[in-house]
Amino acid sequence: MKPENVPSLLETALALPGLSAEAEALRPLARDVARTRALGARPLRVALVGSTGAGKSTLLNALAGAPLAEEGTTRPTSRQAVAYAPHGADLGRLQQVVGQVVRYTPQEGGRWTGQVLVDTPDLNSVAVENRDRALDVLAECDVAVVVLHRGSVAEARPNQALQPFARRRALLLVLNHADQLGAQARATLSAQAARVAVEALGAATPPPVFVVSAARARGGQPGDDWEALVAALRRFAEEAVAAQVRGDNSARGLAELQQRVAQGLDATRALEATVQAALTQGLDTARPALAQDFDVRLQAAAAQLQAAVRRAAAARLSGPAAWGLRLSAWSGGGLLGGTLLARASLPAGLLVAATGAVLDSVQARTRARATAERMSGGGEPLLEAEARAALTPARAAAQRQGVEPAVLGLPTPEAWAATLERTRAAAWRDVEGFGVEQAVARWWRWARVLLVPVVQLPLLVLLGDVAFRTLRAYLLGPLLDVRYYVNAAALALVWTAAGTLLAGLSLAGVATRARRRGAQRFAEGLAAAEASLQAEVHGALALPLAAAETLLAEGTAVQAGAVSQPAAGAVAAP
């Protein structure tokens, strides 16, 4: 992973609930990691920060050997940040956040060569905008020279302001106004300043402390640690040192970023585990009621299922028995009544048979439509109630953590109810289609051995006898009376009815097996829908989780590119 990829990875990882609240703080940190490494060995940006009266502007003028910054006794003097940069130095975003840019020409052998100096507003200014400007400028700089005086060493306000940057910036502490301090006070304040940098600011190691008098140095009387301070700052002009400082700054920033991402990742995983456990509990609670409801609906659809079984069985038989299996009570009764009436009145018999067929068709259509609506219709209170019961524990667990359920892949109860409706409809289509065919195929393996001889052969014998008698009467005479044919037809009808009844009795239990398959298919479909839901919840944050894990797993490789020595080691303590 390259440092320049850190911001984009973080942006993806910020979709994690455990990190989204810190987006405002983490985005600048990620940009800082990438920007710091990208600058490489270009001139370092050194920010002078401190409290009111610390003497930042005086120190800058003394370092530059020229009156670059305005000095004064009125406080605060520095109301805007001013960058002092060599001609041609690229300031990037720094040029946008400072109030003024003053260019200078580095002098060979001078006190200061090549670096970018930034005089910032006072950190303890009562004007909040001054402090904010100082922090914005510091974010674009590589080294913070913290200018202190007797009263600001342990001051809380600048310490709090500097804390976020001290952990990932090279620090130098300058105890100014040394001409106003005795030897004991210098030693005590120096030790205290180094301790505050570690304990209050969070610096990795105690930074060097330089005791100076900027006012005397500006007047040509440096003394104290002035030459050591100048030597330390001049070393920052070396390209190798600049690259080292920025590498260490980037590594520190990345370490802080990784720590906060790890915390957010742990919080997100804990939330995921809680939500998934609640979802499993809710689904387990709703499942029995859904299965019972589907079984009740299958029982209510028994007539439709039985009709489907008889049609499938009839497709495997042939002849009148197959026709009889397709008849319902209405059509069968009408046909039988029509046959009996036909002996007295053929038109009356035909009318009764036709009426039975019409009633059969109407009943079949009405029953099929009602069953379809019962199995696939939506907006039912029970489905919506069970969907709500299944999802409420998980949705409540997410909302307690201030996370929208949709972020974790949890659907609304209405959407889950629609999924349950589709699952139920699919199970019914399966049982009405393949389930019936499978059950009838099992029945046919033994039924064809019994039904064909008992039902089909007698009809074939009767048909052969009628054909033989008719042919003989035609050839030899006399012709057969019509009553013979009526009696033969009646006998065939009676035998067909008997065969149909026998076939229907043999189908007992076939519809029950199909119904059991339907219950099984619904259970399997429900389990698949639940598994899909849980997979969706598990994978809802897959991309941001992967980005966060990449930031943690490969961050070490980025840090390995930085020099292992701390940036403060680039300068020597006095």
Side-chain angles (χ1 to χ4, degrees):
M1 180 184 66
K2 298 179 180 180
E4 56 266 28
N5 294 337
V6 171
S8 60
L9 282 172
L10 175 68
E11 197 62 36
T12 303
L14 286 176
L16 296 178
L19 283 179
S20 56
E22 293 195 73
E24 187 176 348
L26 293 179
R27 284 191 181 106
L29 184 55
R31 288 196 301 267
D32 187 56
V33 170
R35 180 197 61 82
T36 303
R37 289 299 298 275
L39 288 174
R42 281 180 276 182
L44 282 174
R45 301 164 181 183
V46 181
L48 303 181
V49 296
S51 301
T52 303
K56 299 188 302 298
S57 299
T58 305
L59 177 62
L60 188 147
N61 291 336
L63 288 171
L68 297 180
E70 178 184 356
E71 302 177 29
T73 57
T74 302
R75 300 291 180 254
T77 300
S78 301
R79 292 183 174 85
Q80 67 176 2
V82 181
Y84 302 91
H87 289 289
D90 180 15
L91 299 184
R93 186 174 178 273
L94 177 62
Q95 188 159 352
Q96 302 172 14
V97 297
V98 297
Q100 181 182 1
V101 176
V102 177
R103 297 289 181 172
Y104 73 91
T105 301
Q107 297 179 358
E108 187 67 28
R111 292 181 176 179
W112 195 257
T113 56
Q115 292 92 335
V116 177
L117 289 170
V118 185
D119 188 13
T120 65
D122 301 324
L123 287 176
N124 65 342
S125 174
V126 293
V128 177
E129 60 273 14
N130 287 354
R131 183 189 61 197
D132 292 342
R133 288 193 198 101
L135 297 180
D136 286 343
V137 170
L138 184 56
E140 298 297 320
C141 295
D142 306 300
V143 180
V145 177
V146 184
V147 185
L148 306 167
H149 58 76
R150 181 199 301 268
S152 66
V153 170
E155 190 176 354
R157 187 181 296 172
N159 287 345
Q160 292 173 353
L162 274 174
Q163 192 176 45
F165 301 98
R167 293 190 299 267
R168 55 181 186 271
R169 285 293 186 274
L171 289 182
L172 277 73
L173 304 184
V174 175
L175 182 60
N176 199 11
H177 306 304
D179 53 327
Q180 302 174 14
L181 302 174
Q184 183 61 39
R186 296 180 185 184
T188 301
L189 289 175
S190 295
Q192 184 181 2
R195 186 171 62 254
V196 167
V198 174
E199 296 175 358
L201 300 183
T205 58
V209 181
F210 300 90
V211 180
V212 303
S213 172
R216 288 195 310 190
R218 184 193 55 188
Q221 299 177 351
D224 302 308
D225 299 330
W226 180 258
E227 294 302 332
L229 172 62
V230 171
L233 291 175
R234 285 176 62 86
R235 287 202 61 197
F236 285 133
E238 300 175 12
E239 290 187 359
V241 173
Q244 175 186 332
V245 169
R246 287 196 172 110
D248 289 341
N249 288 352
S250 180
R252 288 195 194 96
L254 183 60
E256 181 180 344
L257 180 68
Q258 285 181 297
Q259 180 183 8
R260 298 172 76 166
V261 168
Q263 293 171 352
L265 187 59
D266 291 343
T268 299
R269 283 173 172 163
L271 173 62
E272 269 195 324
T274 300
V275 168
Q276 286 176 347
L279 179 60
T280 300
Q281 177 186 357
L283 292 174
D284 290 345
T285 301
R287 193 179 303 118
L290 293 171
Q292 182 180 6
D293 173 70
F294 186 74
D295 189 60
V296 169
R297 292 172 186 275
L298 281 178
Q299 292 177 11
Q304 176 70 10
L305 201 59
Q306 185 67 42
V309 167
R310 292 173 68 88
R311 287 195 300 270
R316 295 178 180 270
L317 286 170
S318 59
W323 306 336
L325 280 178
R326 291 186 173 90
L327 299 177
S328 68
W330 284 107
S331 56
L335 184 60
L336 180 60
T339 302
L340 296 176
L341 285 175
R343 300 190 63 179
S345 173
L346 182 60
L350 294 175
L351 179 61
V352 170
T355 301
V358 170
L359 291 176
D360 175 57
S361 177
V362 171
Q363 181 192 48
R365 290 176 180 275
T366 303
R367 184 173 57 220
R369 183 167 55 252
T371 302
E373 291 177 356
R374 187 184 303 114
M375 287 300 182
S376 59
E380 297 174 8
L382 183 138
L383 271 188
E384 293 182 359
E386 293 304 325
R388 199 170 301 279
L391 296 178
T392 294
R395 291 175 64 86
Q399 290 170 339
R400 281 195 299 270
Q401 299 297 321
V403 179
E404 284 297 322
V407 172
L408 298 175
L410 290 169
T412 62
E414 293 76 14
W416 182 238
T419 300
L420 295 177
E421 291 167 9
R422 291 192 295 272
T423 301
R424 188 176 65 190
W428 169 249
R429 287 194 300 271
D430 179 84
V431 67
E432 192 180 26
F434 185 73
V436 167
E437 287 294 333
Q438 187 181 52
V440 170
R442 291 182 58 186
W443 162 82
W444 182 245
R445 283 199 291 268
W446 62 266
R448 62 184 174 184
V449 179
L450 299 178
L451 289 180
V452 172
V454 174
V455 177
Q456 306 288 62
L457 288 181
L459 290 174
L460 291 175
V461 171
L462 177 60
L463 179 62
D465 182 71
V466 169
F468 173 74
R469 289 176 181 272
T470 300
L471 180 62
R472 188 179 64 176
Y474 177 76
L475 295 175
L476 302 178
L479 296 178
L480 297 175
D481 189 85
V482 70
R483 288 176 295 181
Y484 169 77
Y485 293 103
V486 172
N487 289 332
L491 179 60
L493 182 62
V494 170
W495 194 257
T496 297
T500 301
L501 178 62
L502 180 61
L505 291 175
S506 70
L507 287 172
V510 176
T512 301
R513 284 196 297 272
R515 191 167 62 246
R516 283 200 300 266
R517 173 184 169 83
Q520 179 184 354
R521 292 297 296 167
F522 177 72
E524 293 172 354
L526 185 59
E530 291 175 352
S532 177
L533 173 59
Q534 289 178 321
E536 186 174 349
V537 171
H538 181 72
L541 298 175
L543 192 58
L545 281 172
E549 289 168 354
T550 301
L551 280 173
L552 296 180
E554 299 189 22
T556 305
V558 177
Q559 295 184 54
V563 179
S564 58
Q565 296 297 323
V571 296

